[in-house]
Amino acid sequence: MKIVVAVKQVPEREAALRVTPDGRGIDESDVEWTMNEPDAYALEEALQLKQRAADAGLGEAEVVVLCAGPERVQSTLREALAKGADRALHVVTPESGEGSLAERGSLDVARLLAEAVKGEQPELVLTGLQSDDLGAGQTGVVMAELLGVPHATLVLQVEFAGQGGGGRRIKVRRELEDGWTQFVEMPLPALLTIQSGGNRLRYATLMGIKRARQKEMRELSAAAPAQRVDEVVRVSPPLRVKQTEMLTGAAEEIAAKLVERLRFEVKVL
Amino acid sequence: MTVAGMLAGMVGASRNLQLAEPAKFGLGERVLLAALMLGSAGLFAWRGAPIALAIWGSKKDEDLRLRPLGRRLWRFFWEVLCQAKVIRQRRLPGLAHALVYWGFLAFALVTMNDLAEGFGCDFLGHAGAFGTFYEAFAGVWALLVALAIAGLFARRFLVRPKWLGEVSPESGVIALLIFALMATYLAMLVVKQHSPAAAYLWWAHTLVLLTFLPIIPGTKHLHLLLSPLTVFLKRPEFSQLPKLEGDEDFGLVAGKDLTRIIALQAYSCVECGRCTEHCPAAATGKVLNPKEVVLGVKTFLNVHGPGSDAPLLQDGPEGGQRALSMQAAFACTTCGSCEYQCPVGVQHLPVLIGLRRGAVNTGAWEDRYGTKLFLNLEKQGNSLGMGAAERDKFIARQGFPLFDGSQEYCLWLGCMGSYDPKGREIAADFARVMQALGTSFGVLKKESCTGDPARRLGNDLLFGELAEQGLKNFAAAGVKKIVTICPHCVRTIAGDWREYGVAPEIEHHSEFMARHAPLLESLMTGEQGGSIVYHDPCYLGRYREVYDPPREVVAMAGELVEAERHRERSFCCGAGGGLAFLGEEAGERVSHGRVRELINTGAKTIGTACPFCNSMFRDALGQVGGAAPPQLLDIAQLVARRLPVLAMVSGEPRS
């Protein structure tokens, strides 16, 4: 069994982001990068599936981690290898200018990734449900369309569900709203977008890092040209909309004012 | 008795006493003696060889250097020859042991001469002045040793202190043999020269000696031969962790990772139980028993031999060695009492942390809280998992100047000083003290954890990344001198970071304030604050031997009171070794026991010098402090509350 995990490298949560002079992008010169959190959970689920497959006597599963981007993304791929992925695929895009990630939208990136996935013929493709930086939530589902496989979104857990309809089946638990979850059974091959928090992430180990050096990292060229269908007009930091108002008076008065606000302005009571 | 008096007494005695010699031996007796000596030595070698092979066959300690030779020689003199540690930590039995030891040293010459005499050679000059004197001198020692060993025998078999564990019959046999050696010698001093009695006594004495020798290997009495070497060779620093070498070294994973020093120390263990007696984990019902860990290593080597691939840690019911379990290794607060107490040079911390390194570096340790801590350190760069913006806001609120290279000191806040509410108060109060002194300082715009919890929990990858990052940050900011409120940060930066580079000079705020004591006192106003019991943090006391400066600071603020266990015997708060971040403790909480001890002094205030101790006691006082718990303040706060209030002068305007 083969599982491909598509991950994205995003700026660190604490990174100070500056808008480029042209106002259409982020200045990446002193940004520190990390693995997109939902993708980290997708990787964790893949590694646990590998273990579950071995425990259930379903044979040795291979976890292949995939990322598109310039050279910097190799640190994220190495991290994935250190945590236990078996090998890595790096779809190389230029640092900047034509063909770079900045010039590509979700559809474009999904094309690059889908192309790489086709070469692997995996039974399962996992990826985070959205990215921490852009948060479009498109790449996974578009990839599924491009690959022609069924998909499920907002998945928390994956189980093997035996054979049926000419192949292996899985049962997934999806997160719905208001604390509800839904179980869906589906055939393989399939693509799942993974929600954060379904598992406990593992920590990186020294042994993992040392073993990762010996693991294969294959570079693929980004064959498909950038064909952006949308356009970035302007990038700006979010406007501060939070307002703080101090309620004064005796405790009872404050409580009364607070209830009034919560009931009629915030409308949560 | 004075030394001069003793000597005079011995010279006097030597006139009346002379060691009775047996009549000269014939060939038959000489052959018998030679055969017995060979037999004894052969048996000794046969029993000792596997141990020698287990030690020598273990992994070479790549980082072992004889330097600093001076310190090693001093330690040998003080701890071995003077028996200082043995006596200091257990006065009466320690002194009895020292008497036996010194007696043995005095006896070496007599014993050699005794054996040589069997073959008709008397190099000591039996009838000469020196020989006569020396034999009487040894006689005095024989008396002292006989008394001391009888006392120790009574302690072990009648008093039975629990730290000695199961009383072994073998130590009874050894005590009897030693007593017999001394008794026969003393008897030889009173019987007639060349009498048959002299011959019987000589044979009895010699046979006891030849029986004693082969018993030594394979029992804890091996310490007699090994511990002088162990004390001389032990790693120079406290809790010194060896650097991991090469691509396959992850700490103590399998038998082959045990080094010669570890093996030597394990075989030197005399099973006195001081380590366990002082262990906060063992005292509060955790699985960890440091003595059993050391003996576990010894048993492991006896069973598997050196260089084995068998895993060291065995958890679960089938594991025959519960002593070497993951549960035990991760119950250690790294307070270092065990290592500090050990009289034979065993260093427990590199073993306990080594086992953790093996478990964490290979990913074998799975712990919800531990993983969360590591991920917090990986992603947020601090142990509390807070966003860096929270620190920025705190700095701005306090008006702390940013370090720009022009100030004398970099005030290192640490995770507690940056994010913990009480830690922040301590940092702010210490900043006020510095400001009152007119010392220029600034804080770094960005700090990440020194890696202390990662280091103690055995995560070398994370620790290395944080250490490298930290060194880079200090270099970039041009920091020359650092001062901080956290002893863990001091130890980690000054000690553990050395593996990665040279850090700027760092000191703890207790040392800084003690140095400025006269000026501080001149600035103080108001009344002294009543009685204050000072709690020695492990990482300031045992780790750095800073005991007096914080006491000087406390004495400025009020009347210093000592807890029952203080200075080098201080009892841990339970936070160290990363345990502050792990889940609930099994058994009683370490902090509860300690805080009760501090309350029992009757002091009005508990003075701490470490934000982690402070945090642990804050919780413990809430639980077991009763209706009117003592006040809990850091020594910086004790000083600050007696200083006039000044507004913080910010280095630069901040939004």
Side-chain angles (χ1 to χ4, degrees):
Chain A
M1 178 169 190
K2 193 189 281 183
I3 306 170
V4 170
V5 184
V7 301
K8 181 179 186 183
Q9 193 182 46
V10 295
E12 287 261 16
R13 207 176 302 175
E14 297 293 334
L17 298 179
R18 283 196 307 270
V19 177
T20 47
D22 67 4
R24 293 179 60 233
I26 300 293
D27 180 3
E28 294 184 358
S29 57
D30 59 351
V31 169
E32 286 184 34
W33 301 88
T34 186
M35 190 188 295
N36 179 40
E37 191 177 81
D39 294 340
Y41 281 94
L43 174 66
E44 182 61 41
E45 185 59 34
L47 295 173
Q48 294 197 12
L49 267 178
K50 178 183 163 126
Q51 185 61 46
R52 261 176 264 156
D55 292 346
L58 299 175
E60 174 87 0
E62 190 188 27
V63 175
V64 182
V65 63
L66 165 66
C67 186
E71 205 184 314
R72 62 170 160 83
V73 306
Q74 290 204 357
S75 66
T76 291
L77 287 169
R78 285 264 171 243
E79 185 188 331
L81 292 175
K83 297 220 164 155
D86 298 294
R87 58 193 172 84
L89 295 174
H90 175 200
V91 181
V92 187
T93 61
E95 198 77 46
S96 58
E98 200 180 329
S100 70
L101 284 184
E103 302 290 313
R104 293 177 190 266
S106 301
L107 173 61
D108 255 350
V109 174
R111 276 200 193 109
L112 291 181
L113 296 174
E115 203 58 41
V117 169
K118 275 180 196 155
E120 292 290 334
Q121 297 290 319
E123 283 180 88
L124 195 57
V125 181
L126 302 186
T127 188
L129 88 155
Q130 62 184 18
S131 59
D132 288 340
D133 54 355
L134 298 179
Q138 295 297 303
T139 312
V141 286
V142 173
M143 259 170 86
E145 282 304 308
L146 293 171
L147 292 167
V149 296
H151 74 265
T153 55
L154 286 157
V155 172
L156 289 166
Q157 250 131 28
V158 187
E159 282 168 44
F160 293 107
Q163 303 284 326
R168 194 175 285 164
R169 295 178 70 81
I170 51 170
K171 190 165 106 178
V172 304
R173 187 158 74 93
R174 297 185 63 229
E175 185 184 75
L176 302 181
E177 290 192 349
D178 216 11
W180 291 88
T181 59
Q182 176 192 29
F183 287 92
V184 180
E185 224 184 88
M186 56 200 293
L188 292 181
L191 183 145
L192 308 173
T193 73
I194 306 289
Q195 167 70 305
S196 289
N199 281 310
R200 276 191 217 124
L201 299 178
R202 61 191 69 197
Y203 58 91
T205 68
L206 189 64
M207 187 191 246
I209 291 282
K210 296 210 162 158
R211 297 275 187 276
R213 285 191 207 138
Q214 271 103 52
K215 290 180 180 172
E216 181 191 302
M217 166 117 56
R218 194 145 48 93
E219 293 184 8
L220 306 170
S221 57
Q227 293 174 303
R228 203 161 186 151
V229 289
D230 52 359
E231 189 194 351
V232 176
V233 181
R234 193 170 68 89
V235 172
S236 73
L239 292 172
R240 180 183 280 264
V241 289
K242 187 176 78 173
Q243 282 177 346
T244 307
E245 190 182 338
M246 297 303 289
L247 300 177
T248 52
E252 286 146 34
E253 291 171 52
I254 295 177
K257 282 185 203 165
L258 189 61
V259 168
E260 193 187 300
R261 297 293 175 89
L262 289 177
R263 188 169 287 161
F264 298 109
E265 283 182 27
V266 194
K267 293 185 178 136
V268 292
L269 287 180
Chain B
M1 203 191 308
T2 65
V3 176
M6 269 173 78
L7 285 174
M10 282 184 303
V11 172
S14 68
R15 290 202 196 97
N16 305 325
L17 298 171
Q18 203 178 19
L19 196 68
E21 266 186 280
K24 212 166 187 196
F25 288 154
L27 183 65
E29 284 169 310
R30 289 191 186 184
V31 170
L32 179 64
L33 175 62
L36 286 171
M37 283 172 68
L38 271 177
S40 174
L43 208 55
F44 172 82
W46 182 71
R47 281 170 55 93
I51 295 169
L53 287 177
I55 297 171
W56 193 250
S58 287
K59 198 171 105 175
K60 198 169 168 239
D61 295 81
E62 297 292 345
D63 60 334
L64 180 70
R65 304 279 177 276
L66 282 185
R67 279 180 312 152
L69 193 60
R71 202 190 311 173
R72 286 185 187 279
L73 289 171
W74 165 254
R75 208 159 50 197
F76 184 82
F77 170 76
W78 186 241
E79 290 179 22
V80 179
L81 297 182
C82 295
Q83 296 275 290
K85 244 183 192 177
V86 184
I87 299 173
R88 191 163 177 191
Q89 302 302 338
R90 281 183 189 169
R91 294 280 156 80
L92 216 54
L95 191 65
H97 179 275
L99 288 174
V100 174
Y101 170 69
W102 292 328
F104 272 36
L105 292 185
F107 253 83
L109 203 57
V110 176
T111 300
M112 280 192 285
N113 196 54
D114 235 24
L115 289 172
E117 266 187 322
F119 298 99
C121 158
D122 167 25
F123 62 82
L124 199 58
H126 197 56
F130 178 72
T132 314
F133 161 75
Y134 197 86
E135 280 166 357
F137 172 72
V140 174
W141 278 112
L143 201 60
L144 291 171
V145 171
L147 285 174
I149 201 79
L152 289 173
F153 182 87
R155 172 173 181 261
R156 185 166 296 256
F157 290 94
L158 303 176
V159 183
R160 295 193 171 202
K162 72 169 176 175
W163 306 116
L164 296 178
E166 291 269 306
V167 181
S168 59
E170 139 221 328
S171 42
V173 172
I174 292 274
L176 288 177
L177 289 178
I178 294 175
F179 190 81
L181 272 178
M182 299 303 131
T184 49
Y185 183 83
L186 286 168
M188 279 199 276
L189 285 172
V190 292
V191 301
K192 272 200 194 126
Q193 282 291 345
H194 308 300
S195 64
Y200 289 136
L201 285 171
W202 187 93
W203 273 108
H205 186 82
T206 307
L207 282 175
V208 171
L209 183 74
L210 295 182
T211 313
F212 189 68
L213 187 67
I215 295 183
I216 294 175
T219 70
K220 62 177 182 259
H221 295 90
L222 189 58
H223 83 279
L224 215 114
L225 300 175
L226 293 188
S227 71
L229 187 65
T230 311
V231 170
F232 180 78
L233 284 179
K234 73 178 182 182
R235 299 177 195 87
E237 307 287 335
F238 194 76
S239 183
Q240 187 178 341
L241 305 180
K243 190 168 188 266
L244 299 181
E245 303 278 350
D247 279 347
E248 291 303 318
D249 188 358
F250 302 110
L252 303 181
V253 180
K256 60 175 187 283
D257 298 314
L258 294 171
T259 69
R260 288 173 185 171
I261 291 288
I262 293 175
L264 176 68
Q265 293 183 353
Y267 280 107
S268 303
C269 175
V270 66
E271 303 175 27
C272 68
R274 282 172 170 84
C275 47
T276 301
E277 182 186 347
H278 293 271
C279 173
T284 54
K286 317 289 192 278
V287 181
L288 174 62
N289 178 332
K291 172 170 136 181
E292 294 303 326
V293 169
V294 176
L295 294 178
V297 170
K298 180 166 124 176
T299 308
F300 183 94
L301 285 168
N302 283 340
V303 173
H304 299 278
S308 129
D309 281 317
L312 285 164
L313 289 177
Q314 297 193 348
D315 282 77
E318 76 286 356
Q321 298 178 21
R322 210 166 62 108
L324 293 184
S325 66
M326 220 184 272
Q327 218 188 339
F330 284 92
C332 173
T333 67
T334 68
C335 81
S337 262
C338 47
E339 188 164 322
Y340 191 91
Q341 287 282 338
C342 184
V344 292
V346 177
Q347 295 172 303
H348 305 69
L349 289 167
V351 175
L352 286 165
I353 297 176
L355 291 168
R356 292 175 170 193
R357 294 171 107 178
V360 171
N361 288 335
T362 58
W365 187 55
E366 287 173 23
D367 179 273
R368 189 149 64 97
Y369 296 98
T371 302
K372 178 106 180 100
L373 170 70
F374 293 154
L375 292 175
N376 280 342
L377 287 168
E378 260 179 46
K379 299 282 177 211
Q380 315 279 2
N382 70 76
S383 52
L384 302 180
M386 309 276 275
E390 294 300 315
R391 183 178 176 275
D392 297 340
K393 278 188 227 160
F394 166 64
I395 292 172
R397 215 166 39 238
Q398 291 297 326
F400 287 158
L402 286 183
F403 187 85
D404 57 14
S406 69
Q407 300 100 331
E408 184 181 359
Y409 279 96
C410 166
L411 172 60
W412 176 260
L413 297 175
C415 300
M416 294 297 271
S418 299
Y419 300 105
D420 177 70
K422 192 70 196 274
R424 285 176 169 182
E425 283 174 25
I426 299 170
D429 276 341
F430 178 59
R432 277 182 54 207
V433 174
M434 293 185 90
Q435 197 200 4
L437 287 167
T439 309
S440 64
F441 69 93
V443 297
L444 290 187
K445 186 162 167 33
K446 214 178 149 198
E447 266 183 20
S448 47
C449 176
T450 61
D452 168 68
R455 176 69 155 174
R456 312 303 153 205
L457 284 169
N459 191 331
D460 284 278
L461 174 68
L462 190 51
F463 168 69
E465 283 170 2
L466 290 167
E468 281 177 353
Q469 184 62 48
L471 283 164
K472 222 159 56 186
N473 289 351
F474 280 131
V479 174
K480 299 277 189 300
K481 286 202 280 188
I482 313 165
V483 63
T484 182
I485 59 165
C486 179
H488 292 262
C489 296
V490 177
R491 150 73 196 203
T492 308
I493 290 175
D496 299 279
W497 280 16
R498 265 184 296 195
E499 209 175 301
Y500 295 91
V502 184
E505 182 189 316
I506 182 165
E507 69 177 342
H508 186 244
H509 71 331
S510 64
E511 298 164 277
F512 175 88
M513 289 189 288
R515 213 176 45 248
H516 293 90
L519 183 52
L520 273 174
E521 259 178 314
S522 72
L523 293 170
M524 282 179 171
T525 56
E527 291 286 298
Q528 278 217 332
S531 55
I532 303 163
V533 57
Y534 172 65
H535 163 80
D536 288 277
C538 306
Y539 277 68
L540 190 63
R542 281 184 292 270
Y543 276 73
R544 286 178 63 79
E545 297 184 324
V546 175
Y547 299 112
D548 293 321
R551 286 182 166 72
E552 287 169 37
V553 176
V554 168
M556 282 192 278
E559 180 209 344
L560 173 68
V561 177
E562 293 291 3
E564 189 186 331
R565 286 179 283 189
H566 59 276
R567 294 180 74 97
E568 71 272 15
R569 297 177 83 118
S570 176
F571 194 69
C572 183
C573 72
L579 263 60
F581 305 101
L582 302 189
E584 184 55 85
E585 298 173 34
E588 206 210 356
R589 285 193 196 165
V590 176
S591 59
H592 288 189
R594 179 56 175 171
V595 97
R596 277 198 204 99
E597 202 174 315
L598 296 171
I599 292 172
N600 287 343
T601 60
K604 279 171 63 184
T605 305
I606 295 173
T608 60
C610 168
F612 285 102
C613 299
N614 195 298
S615 164
M616 296 307 274
F617 293 156
R618 193 189 335 158
D619 288 350
L621 281 171
Q623 301 268 325
V624 299
Q631 210 180 2
L632 175 69
L633 290 171
D634 186 88
I635 53 170
Q637 300 180 287
L638 289 172
V639 172
R641 68 178 177 171
R642 292 201 53 208
L643 293 175
V645 179
L646 300 168
M648 182 63 64
V649 183
S650 180
E652 61 182 82
R654 288 180 51 77
S655 53

